[in-house]
PDB file of all heavy atoms in Angstrom:
ATOM      1  N   TRP K 166     355.839 240.427  49.224  1.00  0.00           N
ATOM      2  CA  TRP K 166     356.986 240.566  48.313  1.00  0.00           C
ATOM      3  C   TRP K 166     357.785 241.818  48.637  1.00  0.00           C
ATOM      4  O   TRP K 166     359.012 241.815  48.576  1.00  0.00           O
ATOM      5  CB  TRP K 166     356.516 240.586  46.855  1.00  0.00           C
ATOM      6  CG  TRP K 166     355.992 239.259  46.398  1.00  0.00           C
ATOM      7  CD1 TRP K 166     354.706 238.955  46.068  1.00  0.00           C
ATOM      8  CD2 TRP K 166     356.729 238.039  46.269  1.00  0.00           C
ATOM      9  NE1 TRP K 166     354.596 237.633  45.741  1.00  0.00           N
ATOM     10  CE2 TRP K 166     355.820 237.044  45.839  1.00  0.00           C
ATOM     11  CE3 TRP K 166     358.059 237.688  46.466  1.00  0.00           C
ATOM     12  CZ2 TRP K 166     356.188 235.721  45.611  1.00  0.00           C
ATOM     13  CZ3 TRP K 166     358.437 236.363  46.238  1.00  0.00           C
ATOM     14  CH2 TRP K 166     357.526 235.405  45.817  1.00  0.00           C
ATOM     15  N   GLY K 167     357.078 242.883  48.972  1.00  0.00           N
ATOM     16  CA  GLY K 167     357.741 244.137  49.324  1.00  0.00           C
ATOM     17  C   GLY K 167     358.648 243.948  50.524  1.00  0.00           C
ATOM     18  O   GLY K 167     359.781 244.442  50.558  1.00  0.00           O
ATOM     19  N   ARG K 168     358.143 243.201  51.529  1.00  0.00           N
ATOM     20  CA  ARG K 168     358.951 242.999  52.734  1.00  0.00           C
ATOM     21  C   ARG K 168     360.171 242.143  52.435  1.00  0.00           C
ATOM     22  O   ARG K 168     361.263 242.388  52.934  1.00  0.00           O
ATOM     23  CB  ARG K 168     358.088 242.347  53.826  1.00  0.00           C
ATOM     24  CG  ARG K 168     357.217 243.381  54.548  1.00  0.00           C
ATOM     25  CD  ARG K 168     356.336 242.737  55.563  1.00  0.00           C
ATOM     26  NE  ARG K 168     355.122 242.235  54.937  1.00  0.00           N
ATOM     27  CZ  ARG K 168     354.468 241.148  55.313  1.00  0.00           C
ATOM     28  NH1 ARG K 168     354.915 240.425  56.305  1.00  0.00           N
ATOM     29  NH2 ARG K 168     353.374 240.776  54.687  1.00  0.00           N
ATOM     30  N   LEU K 169     359.970 241.128  51.576  1.00  0.00           N
ATOM     31  CA  LEU K 169     361.115 240.285  51.203  1.00  0.00           C
ATOM     32  C   LEU K 169     362.155 241.115  50.460  1.00  0.00           C
ATOM     33  O   LEU K 169     363.363 240.971  50.676  1.00  0.00           O
ATOM     34  CB  LEU K 169     360.653 239.110  50.340  1.00  0.00           C
ATOM     35  CG  LEU K 169     359.886 238.014  51.093  1.00  0.00           C
ATOM     36  CD1 LEU K 169     359.424 236.926  50.135  1.00  0.00           C
ATOM     37  CD2 LEU K 169     360.765 237.399  52.179  1.00  0.00           C
ATOM     38  N   ALA K 170     361.667 242.005  49.591  1.00  0.00           N
ATOM     39  CA  ALA K 170     362.602 242.862  48.843  1.00  0.00           C
ATOM     40  C   ALA K 170     363.368 243.760  49.806  1.00  0.00           C
ATOM     41  O   ALA K 170     364.599 243.912  49.701  1.00  0.00           O
ATOM     42  CB  ALA K 170     361.835 243.692  47.819  1.00  0.00           C
ATOM     43  N   ALA K 171     362.655 244.356  50.770  1.00  0.00           N
ATOM     44  CA  ALA K 171     363.316 245.234  51.739  1.00  0.00           C
ATOM     45  C   ALA K 171     364.380 244.458  52.512  1.00  0.00           C
ATOM     46  O   ALA K 171     365.496 244.952  52.732  1.00  0.00           O
ATOM     47  CB  ALA K 171     362.279 245.824  52.698  1.00  0.00           C
ATOM     48  N   LEU K 172     364.038 243.223  52.887  1.00  0.00           N
ATOM     49  CA  LEU K 172     365.010 242.398  53.618  1.00  0.00           C
ATOM     50  C   LEU K 172     366.228 242.108  52.751  1.00  0.00           C
ATOM     51  O   LEU K 172     367.369 242.204  53.213  1.00  0.00           O
ATOM     52  CB  LEU K 172     364.357 241.081  54.058  1.00  0.00           C
ATOM     53  CG  LEU K 172     365.274 240.110  54.782  1.00  0.00           C
ATOM     54  CD1 LEU K 172     365.674 240.667  56.134  1.00  0.00           C
ATOM     55  CD2 LEU K 172     364.624 238.740  54.941  1.00  0.00           C
ATOM     56  N   SER K 173     366.000 241.783  51.457  1.00  0.00           N
ATOM     57  CA  SER K 173     367.145 241.478  50.598  1.00  0.00           C
ATOM     58  C   SER K 173     368.034 242.704  50.427  1.00  0.00           C
ATOM     59  O   SER K 173     369.266 242.586  50.402  1.00  0.00           O
ATOM     60  CB  SER K 173     366.714 241.000  49.208  1.00  0.00           C
ATOM     61  OG  SER K 173     365.455 240.451  49.239  1.00  0.00           O
ATOM     62  N   ILE K 174     367.402 243.870  50.294  1.00  0.00           N
ATOM     63  CA  ILE K 174     368.205 245.087  50.142  1.00  0.00           C
ATOM     64  C   ILE K 174     369.069 245.296  51.388  1.00  0.00           C
ATOM     65  O   ILE K 174     370.282 245.537  51.300  1.00  0.00           O
ATOM     66  CB  ILE K 174     367.301 246.313  49.887  1.00  0.00           C
ATOM     67  CG1 ILE K 174     366.647 246.185  48.499  1.00  0.00           C
ATOM     68  CG2 ILE K 174     368.098 247.607  49.979  1.00  0.00           C
ATOM     69  CD1 ILE K 174     365.582 247.224  48.228  1.00  0.00           C
ATOM     70  N   ALA K 175     368.443 245.142  52.568  1.00  0.00           N
ATOM     71  CA  ALA K 175     369.190 245.334  53.813  1.00  0.00           C
ATOM     72  C   ALA K 175     370.329 244.326  53.909  1.00  0.00           C
ATOM     73  O   ALA K 175     371.475 244.673  54.267  1.00  0.00           O
ATOM     74  CB  ALA K 175     368.250 245.199  55.010  1.00  0.00           C
ATOM     75  N   ALA K 176     370.040 243.060  53.552  1.00  0.00           N
ATOM     76  CA  ALA K 176     371.071 242.021  53.620  1.00  0.00           C
ATOM     77  C   ALA K 176     372.198 242.329  52.636  1.00  0.00           C
ATOM     78  O   ALA K 176     373.386 242.173  52.948  1.00  0.00           O
ATOM     79  CB  ALA K 176     370.457 240.654  53.321  1.00  0.00           C
ATOM     80  N   GLY K 177     371.802 242.814  51.434  1.00  0.00           N
ATOM     81  CA  GLY K 177     372.794 243.149  50.422  1.00  0.00           C
ATOM     82  C   GLY K 177     373.716 244.270  50.898  1.00  0.00           C
ATOM     83  O   GLY K 177     374.942 244.195  50.747  1.00  0.00           O
ATOM     84  N   MET K 178     373.124 245.293  51.505  1.00  0.00           N
ATOM     85  CA  MET K 178     373.920 246.411  52.012  1.00  0.00           C
ATOM     86  C   MET K 178     374.884 245.937  53.089  1.00  0.00           C
ATOM     87  O   MET K 178     376.060 246.331  53.132  1.00  0.00           O
ATOM     88  CB  MET K 178     373.002 247.498  52.607  1.00  0.00           C
ATOM     89  CG  MET K 178     372.029 248.124  51.631  1.00  0.00           C
ATOM     90  SD  MET K 178     372.838 249.024  50.320  1.00  0.00           S
ATOM     91  CE  MET K 178     373.040 250.614  51.108  1.00  0.00           C
ATOM     92  N   LEU K 179     374.396 245.067  53.966  1.00  0.00           N
ATOM     93  CA  LEU K 179     375.230 244.563  55.051  1.00  0.00           C
ATOM     94  C   LEU K 179     376.399 243.755  54.483  1.00  0.00           C
ATOM     95  O   LEU K 179     377.553 243.918  54.908  1.00  0.00           O
ATOM     96  CB  LEU K 179     374.371 243.688  55.977  1.00  0.00           C
ATOM     97  CG  LEU K 179     375.005 243.301  57.294  1.00  0.00           C
ATOM     98  CD1 LEU K 179     375.279 244.532  58.136  1.00  0.00           C
ATOM     99  CD2 LEU K 179     374.105 242.319  58.047  1.00  0.00           C
TER     100      LEU K 179
END
Side-chain angles (χ1 to χ4, degrees):
Chain K
W166 291 113
R168 279 177 276 147
L169 287 178
L172 178 68
S173 335
I174 292 171
M178 299 296 274
L179 191 63

